[in-house]
Amino acid sequence: MTRPCSENTPMHRVYVWELPIRLTHWLIFVATIVLAATGYYIGHPFISVSGPARDHFVMGYARSIHMYAAIVFAMAVFVRLYWLFAGNQYARLTELVPLSGRRFRSLFHAILFYAFLRREPDEYPGHNAMAGSSYAMIFSVYVVMIATGLALYAVGTAPGSPFHIFNNEAPWLYGLQMARLIHHIGMWIIFIFVVLHLHFILLSSLIDRTGALDSMFSGYKFMPNKEGTARD
Amino acid sequence: MNAPGLAQRLERSGLSRRDFLSFCASMAAVLGLPDTAGQAIAAAVENEAKPILIWLEFQDCAGNSESLLRAGHPTVADLILDEISLSYHEMLMAAAGSQAEQVLSETVRDNAGKYIVLVEGSIPAGADGAYCTIGGKSALQIARDICGKAAATIAVGTCAAFGGIPAARPNPTGAMSVGDAVPGVANLINMSACPANAENITALIIYYMTMKRWPPLDQYRRPLFAYGKSIHDSCERRAHFDAGQYVEEWGDDAHRHGHCLYKMGCKGPATSQNCPIVKWNEGTNWPIGCGHPCIGCAEPNFWDTMTPFYQRLPNVAGFDVGNWVDPVGLGLTGLVTAAVAMHGIGEVVRHRAGEKSSDNSGSENE
Ligand code: SF4
């Protein structure tokens, strides 16, 4: 069997990504770009302005935008995590954490395929187990980013604010400076993930013609027909 | 009756009732209470039974005692502290040796469950407590005996509150905070900072005398009236922070104009205390006010996590990560991008090869 790349290979449509998955994906995408840009400025304020302070609000805007983007990000991650339990078969926790024998085989299949040690890609409409594991990891990083972000935010809230309670995170984060350091490291992990994610999505879309990139808009993927596997 | 005593003493020291009342009003201000609370405070200080205080000093530099002696209103505060009867304070008391220890044990015996202990300094638990002994007893033993029978324990300064500098890595003496050394101690209140601000300690005791209870505390058992807000949120340079005006170098133009010290490693955003409001040395000034970034001395593990003082991010256990986390992150991202580009080329080659070998139909490939 060849790779499903030829124009003549018969394909069929599979509905893979439900609306909440697509929506949260793009919200996280936009929020991450905004958060990274403003966050980098907050860590390293490279713009310096002169004149009276009342004429400027550079850091003020950066922090405000960072916080609004953080709300969008946190809500989207929250819904995505809920969909690990409420979503269809392609969205579930079992797709991310390879615990079954089938998913384990899928993991090795994908690794061997991308290491040029196997010819055919894993023909499964959802994530292959390598992608799934990377999402499990990146979702954990998201949770850590939200937690450290809330700890850093809470110090500026008054007692009585609903966010004041997150001050209790500081003791077990070993203080706010550690929260700040973890927040920086988390951003770079996300950056590296983005590079890898883009790479594999483009490979899958442009070379294997699975429609992986389009599927995040439409929800549908295209899979080569196999005997007796015509779905939908 | 204590009231005539206090009035006479004030008079003898050349202090007017007006001085006393303005002291009470300033205490109300530190506590964040309205003006009228000053009268309640004055009444309490004049009429209420005074708590008995014991000051224990362990592994420390005596900086908190020094700070207290230079309290913003030394005369009035001193008089009141005298009234309160500071029964035992090694540095201040006239008695010494076994005589002093006798005073201590008598005070503890006669007032068990009623006195207040102020502890200064960390408690070294290493080598069976041999690093700090007084009258043949280890600091650990003394703390457990005396704090265990107290109505309340006030840990004064970061060493007593969190272990402070003696407990910083590698902590050779096994130093710990009072809270860790005496688990379950009643009414523990941490008055951190290096040293603790005397205004806050006096205000805490005055609060207790007036309200007959202890103030609300934060997650580190510090009173919210003094530690409820970060330095950053009440800093006088905050306008420059929000504007984007930062000191880049010592003595540069921005520094001379009093711009924000964030890029010089200011730890105000990670530190909670009322320094910008109450200030130090009779409200003269405070670190950021005179152009030095906050070093975060009021926070737990400050020597380990607030250092390097002139850098934004901390180092971890010997790695110089703080300075490097962003350049290393950028480098790694670049490396991964390069690796992925190579892999992409590999994939394209495989794809072309696969197409050629699998079908020779001559159809155009894309
Ligand atoms: S000097 Fe420090 S505390 Fe003050 S605004 Fe700047 S960063 Fe915040």
Side-chain angles (χ1 to χ4, degrees):
Chain A
M1 147 111 227
T2 57
R3 297 177 65 168
C5 54
S6 153
E7 279 175 6
N8 309 326
T9 313
M11 298 267 202
H12 66 277
R13 243 159 55 120
V14 189
Y15 186 55
V16 184
W17 312 127
E18 295 160 293
L19 185 64
I21 296 287
R22 286 176 275 148
L23 205 62
T24 55
H25 177 271
W26 292 114
L27 285 174
I28 292 171
F29 169 83
V30 174
T32 302
I33 292 173
V34 175
L35 285 167
T38 50
Y40 191 84
Y41 178 75
I42 294 167
H44 304 268
F46 46 86
I47 303 169
S48 270
V49 293
S50 52
R54 63 161 187 270
D55 294 346
H56 308 283
F57 200 56
V58 182
M59 178 61 90
Y61 285 129
R63 290 182 73 241
S64 311
I65 296 168
H66 194 78
M67 279 157 202
Y68 284 115
I71 295 171
V72 172
F73 180 81
M75 291 296 112
V77 169
F78 186 77
V79 170
R80 180 62 187 91
L81 292 182
Y82 169 69
W83 221 247
L84 285 179
F85 304 95
N88 69 11
Q89 55 162 317
Y90 303 114
R92 291 194 170 246
L93 188 62
T94 46
E95 295 286 289
L96 302 195
V97 189
L99 289 178
S100 65
R102 180 179 68 77
R103 292 302 283 171
F104 236 85
R105 279 191 296 281
S106 163
L107 178 66
F108 286 109
H109 187 148
I111 292 173
L112 292 176
F113 172 71
Y114 285 116
F116 305 107
L117 295 172
R118 261 191 99 140
R119 283 181 162 276
E120 333 74 37
D122 189 5
E123 278 155 24
Y124 178 67
H127 314 299
N128 69 54
M130 188 177 99
S133 321
S134 81
Y135 304 150
M137 210 193 68
I138 209 66
F139 289 169
S140 319
V141 174
Y142 289 167
V143 170
V144 170
M145 291 303 268
I146 293 168
T148 49
L150 281 170
L152 291 168
Y153 178 73
V155 70
T157 60
S161 150
F163 290 97
H164 196 70
I165 195 167
F166 293 105
N167 277 315
N168 293 309
E169 283 185 53
W172 53 266
L173 284 170
Y174 205 65
L176 289 181
Q177 282 299 98
M178 281 301 143
R180 195 163 263 122
L181 181 67
I182 296 167
H183 213 64
H184 277 242
I185 295 170
M187 187 194 75
W188 290 112
I189 295 177
I190 293 174
F191 262 42
I192 291 170
F193 165 80
V194 166
V195 171
L196 292 171
H197 183 60
L198 261 174
H199 171 67
F200 284 110
I201 290 304
L202 291 179
L203 276 188
S204 174
S205 302
L206 300 179
I207 296 187
D208 298 330
R209 301 279 182 81
T210 57
L213 186 59
D214 300 342
S215 74
M216 238 338 125
F217 294 97
S218 66
Y220 288 94
K221 268 197 180 179
F222 291 88
M223 301 307 296
N225 287 343
K226 252 188 200 169
E227 309 76 52
T229 53
R231 258 173 281 214
D232 285 336
Chain B
M1 278 276 146
N2 289 312
L6 179 62
Q8 277 162 19
R9 294 166 69 121
L10 283 166
E11 208 173 304
R12 230 183 295 142
S13 315
L15 290 161
S16 63
R17 183 160 174 80
R18 178 177 271 269
D19 291 330
F20 171 65
L21 290 178
S22 73
F23 164 78
C24 293
S26 80
M27 283 294 112
V30 171
L31 291 167
L33 296 171
D35 230 18
T36 45
Q39 291 154 25
I41 288 170
V45 171
E46 282 177 322
N47 303 322
E48 296 297 331
K50 308 295 180 285
I52 292 159
L53 303 189
I54 294 173
W55 187 288
L56 296 179
E57 204 178 329
F58 298 127
Q59 192 167 246
D60 75 324
C61 66
N64 294 290
S65 295
E66 289 284 349
S67 174
L68 193 66
L69 290 174
R70 279 154 187 63
H73 308 270
T75 40
V76 182
D78 281 354
L79 282 177
I80 289 164
L81 286 179
D82 284 353
E83 282 288 307
I84 284 170
S85 111
L86 197 52
S87 303
Y88 178 89
H89 188 307
E90 279 163 7
M91 202 167 108
L92 303 183
M93 68 198 304
S98 52
Q99 202 186 2
E101 296 311 307
Q102 197 186 336
V103 173
L104 178 60
S105 56
E106 274 169 15
T107 311
V108 170
R109 190 191 59 215
D110 298 344
N111 303 287
K114 281 183 281 185
Y115 60 87
I116 297 168
V117 200
L118 294 101
V119 183
E120 177 179 8
S122 66
I123 296 165
D128 285 332
Y131 293 111
C132 179
T133 62
I134 301 163
K137 282 163 86 186
S138 73
L140 195 60
Q141 228 178 324
I142 299 172
R144 289 201 170 140
D145 281 357
I146 294 179
C147 301
K149 296 191 195 101
T153 298
I154 303 172
V156 176
T158 297
C159 293
F162 306 127
I165 294 172
R169 237 180 10 246
N171 192 359
T173 63
M176 38 165 101
S177 67
V178 179
D180 288 342
V182 193
V185 62
N187 292 320
L188 174 70
I189 295 171
N190 289 326
M191 299 297 284
S192 59
C194 191
N197 197 324
E199 303 275 338
N200 290 337
I201 300 168
T202 314
L204 175 67
I205 292 164
I206 298 274
Y207 182 101
Y208 178 68
M209 288 171 68
T210 312
M211 314 286 253
K212 307 277 175 304
R213 59 182 161 82
W214 297 102
L217 306 176
D218 75 355
Q219 70 273 18
Y220 295 120
R221 301 197 64 82
R222 304 178 299 190
L224 286 172
F225 75 77
Y227 301 90
K229 226 175 175 196
S230 72
I231 301 258
H232 188 56
D233 282 342
S234 38
C235 178
E236 63 212 24
R237 300 189 180 215
R238 180 59 185 266
H240 296 294
F241 172 84
D242 284 333
Q245 298 181 314
Y246 305 100
V247 176
E248 309 272 348
E249 226 179 285
W250 303 118
D252 68 2
D253 225 39
H255 199 202
R256 273 179 278 134
H257 282 98
H259 290 176
C260 171
L261 295 155
Y262 184 76
K263 288 175 99 169
M264 303 310 281
C266 182
K267 303 302 186 299
T271 310
S272 294
Q273 229 210 147
N274 55 1
C275 304
I277 311 297
V278 173
K279 304 191 175 177
W280 297 79
N281 300 331
E282 302 183 44
T284 308
N285 209 341
W286 66 297
I288 291 173
C290 52
H292 192 277
C294 169
I295 62 169
C297 70
E299 295 298 307
N301 319 307
F302 96 93
W303 202 262
D304 290 335
T305 66
M306 299 292 178
T307 50
F309 290 142
Y310 303 125
Q311 189 178 295
R312 278 243 50 77
L313 292 174
N315 288 340
V316 176
F319 293 99
D320 186 15
V321 285
N323 239 346
W324 292 106
V325 60
D326 293 332
V328 165
L330 191 63
L332 277 179
T333 310
L335 268 180
V336 170
T337 310
V340 141
M342 302 285 287
H343 185 253
I345 293 170
E347 285 285 352
V348 170
V349 168
R350 161 159 77 178
H351 174 63
R352 294 256 160 90
E355 264 182 347
K356 273 193 196 121
S357 67
S358 65
D359 53 11
N360 292 316
S361 60
S363 67
E364 285 208 2
N365 58 349
E366 277 179 61

